[in-house]
Amino acid sequence: MFSAALLTAAAIGAVSAQSSSFSEGVIATGTMGVTNPPEATLGTDVNQTSYARLISINDVDDWCIFAPPEAGVTIGDSEAYEVAWCTKARNNARVIPDGTITGVSLIKTDFYVQLMAYGDFTKLNLQQGDYGGELDPHGASGDGNPVGGNVTTNIATGDDLHFEEWMSFISYSQVCFRICTNANETWSSGVMCEHKLDEMGCEFVMPGNYNFNGTFESCEAEVAYPPGVYVTAIDGTSTGYSTFAQYYTGVYTADGQPVSYTVGTTVTPTAPQMTPSSSNCKTTATISNGLSLDGAAAATATSTDSGSSSSGMHL
Ligand SMILES: *[C@@H]1O[C@H](CO)[C@@H](O)[C@H](O)[C@H]1NC(C)=O
Ligand SMILES: *[C@@H]1O[C@H](CO)[C@@H](O)[C@H](O)[C@H]1NC(C)=O
Ligand SMILES: *[C@@H]1O[C@H](CO)[C@@H](O)[C@H](O)[C@H]1NC(C)=O
Ligand SMILES: *[C@@H]1O[C@H](CO)[C@@H](O)[C@H](O)[C@H]1NC(C)=O
């Protein structure tokens, strides 16, 4: 007979053996953000005023995204303090109300896990018509947008692992979220989750099948080229690449004088190098958590009224 302690030790050994088989920089090694539980946890209490920022993307009906904690702000203005909203009660985070999501395609590739979804994200405090913005673990302070945002997925190995590089685009009607779970000598996970093309949108930065509104599916897919990367030449065994840089201008000050600068190109490409196709899709009729969030939210709001604004929630 095995003792519980032996089984636990064996399980921990399996996790570290798996994480050590990842390339450098793929697995996150930092501490968790202060708003987050130490590990991804299913079945936590529902708290619709939570500030937790731990995203897990595991299955077509088990994932989280970042959205504003209160109404009345654009994604651009609230990117540093978005909070996690999950399809299930997990990670001490807020729960996405049933009826918000109208279609999901979750794809697993050799280099990343990618969530694509349509829905009415005004229910998660997005403003109607806000075409949104881009979130990633870098940000102005270097601590991420949102600050202290963290991600896990169990899709890579079956265990909840923390990954270093991810990116998310959200608007009032669409979201896409990629967690980069692999790297090789050609593509680092930072390149595969390149976060500087923040005006290009989901279809360009995270190409795939976006014709899934009304469908809830999980699929395998080919690996896309990293965002903005184009094949320039294939010469025998070697391939040349070029990388599109988003055009922007700015001004900095040198010796008290303003100096203007320009980065990138004025010619914006119309399409990515290729659009990967999905395969082996499994569909489910819909996703729901069945939680009565009105009651839960009202109870939480009254019991934790500390003067902070929770009046903007659309539940
Ligand atoms: C959590 O997020 C912070 C801020 O981006 C980062 O410094 C840290 O490495 C992350 N930790 C994990 C385990 O993901
Ligand atoms: C809900 O989350 C907020 C913000 O993180 C926290 O202050 C509050 O104590 C939580 N409420 C409950 C009931 O856990
Ligand atoms: C890295 O993976 C990509 C995508 O599968 C592939 O095209 C490339 O050849 C790989 N590089 C190496 C060095 O194996
Ligand atoms: C997705 O489908 C829903 C329900 O039919 C619709 O209201 C919504 O506008 C669609 N979203 C997009 C982005 O087309």
Side-chain angles (χ1 to χ4, degrees):
M1 238 185 80
F2 294 102
S3 74
L6 265 176
L7 283 174
T8 307
I12 291 167
V15 172
S16 54
Q18 274 160 350
S19 34
S20 65
S21 71
F22 286 88
S23 302
E24 184 86 18
V26 174
I27 296 289
T29 53
T31 53
M32 293 291 276
V34 292
T35 58
N36 298 334
E39 289 302 331
T41 312
L42 198 54
T44 54
D45 290 344
V46 175
N47 180 354
Q48 297 300 86
T49 57
S50 170
Y51 278 85
R53 296 185 179 131
L54 176 59
I55 298 294
S56 296
I57 297 181
N58 291 343
D59 209 343
V60 66
D61 65 348
D62 182 14
W63 47 266
C64 313
I65 53 178
F66 287 120
E70 75 248 332
V73 284
T74 63
I75 287 287
D77 287 339
S78 57
E79 59 184 12
Y81 60 91
E82 311 296 351
V83 298
W85 295 80
C86 302
T87 58
K88 292 176 184 284
R90 64 150 54 247
N91 298 358
N92 298 343
R94 303 185 192 202
V95 175
I96 298 172
D98 281 347
T100 302
I101 308 299
T102 56
V104 177
S105 184
L106 180 67
I107 60 172
K108 178 190 173 170
T109 79
D110 289 344
F111 275 70
Y112 52 83
V113 169
Q114 184 168 303
L115 169 80
M116 301 170 278
Y118 293 105
D120 175 8
F121 297 118
T122 64
K123 292 191 164 92
L124 308 186
N125 297 327
L126 271 283
Q127 292 186 346
Q128 182 71 34
D130 181 2
Y131 282 93
E134 191 270 349
L135 303 168
D136 61 67
H138 304 280
S141 69
D143 291 325
N145 272 331
V147 171
N150 291 113
V151 306
T152 75
T153 176
N154 68 11
I155 296 179
T157 65
D159 294 302
D160 293 318
L161 298 180
H162 296 263
F163 290 94
E164 185 75 32
E165 295 290 346
W166 53 272
M167 58 173 168
S168 164
F169 286 69
I170 186 166
S171 75
Y172 72 103
S173 60
Q174 182 183 26
V175 67
C176 54
F177 202 123
R178 177 183 290 183
I179 299 177
C180 285
T181 56
N182 191 13
N184 68 10
E185 281 167 27
T186 313
W187 308 130
S188 68
S189 62
V191 165
M192 201 47 102
C193 275
E194 168 57 52
H195 59 277
K196 294 195 196 79
L197 301 177
D198 59 357
E199 288 175 9
M200 298 302 286
C202 288
E203 286 86 343
F204 183 87
V205 174
M206 300 184 218
N209 165 36
Y210 278 87
N211 186 22
F212 61 82
N213 200 7
T215 302
F216 298 83
E217 64 178 21
S218 62
C219 309
E220 291 167 18
E222 301 169 275
V223 179
Y225 286 88
V229 167
Y230 291 87
V231 175
T232 53
I234 301 173
D235 170 19
T237 54
S238 79
T239 305
Y241 299 104
S242 72
T243 303
F244 160 67
Q246 187 173 294
Y247 180 78
Y248 66 96
T249 58
V251 177
Y252 66 95
T253 307
D255 298 330
Q257 296 298 313
V259 181
S260 58
Y261 67 93
T262 301
V263 177
T265 166
T266 50
V267 183
T268 300
T270 52
Q273 170 71 35
M274 60 87 138
T275 300
S277 47
S278 302
S279 58
N280 293 330
C281 294
K282 296 190 181 71
T283 60
T284 176
T286 187
I287 59 170
S288 74
N289 51 59
L291 294 168
S292 164
L293 291 176
D294 285 308
T300 307
T302 44
S303 69
T304 62
D305 186 5
S306 58
S308 67
S309 163
S310 59
S311 56
M313 280 193 306
H314 300 237
L315 289 170

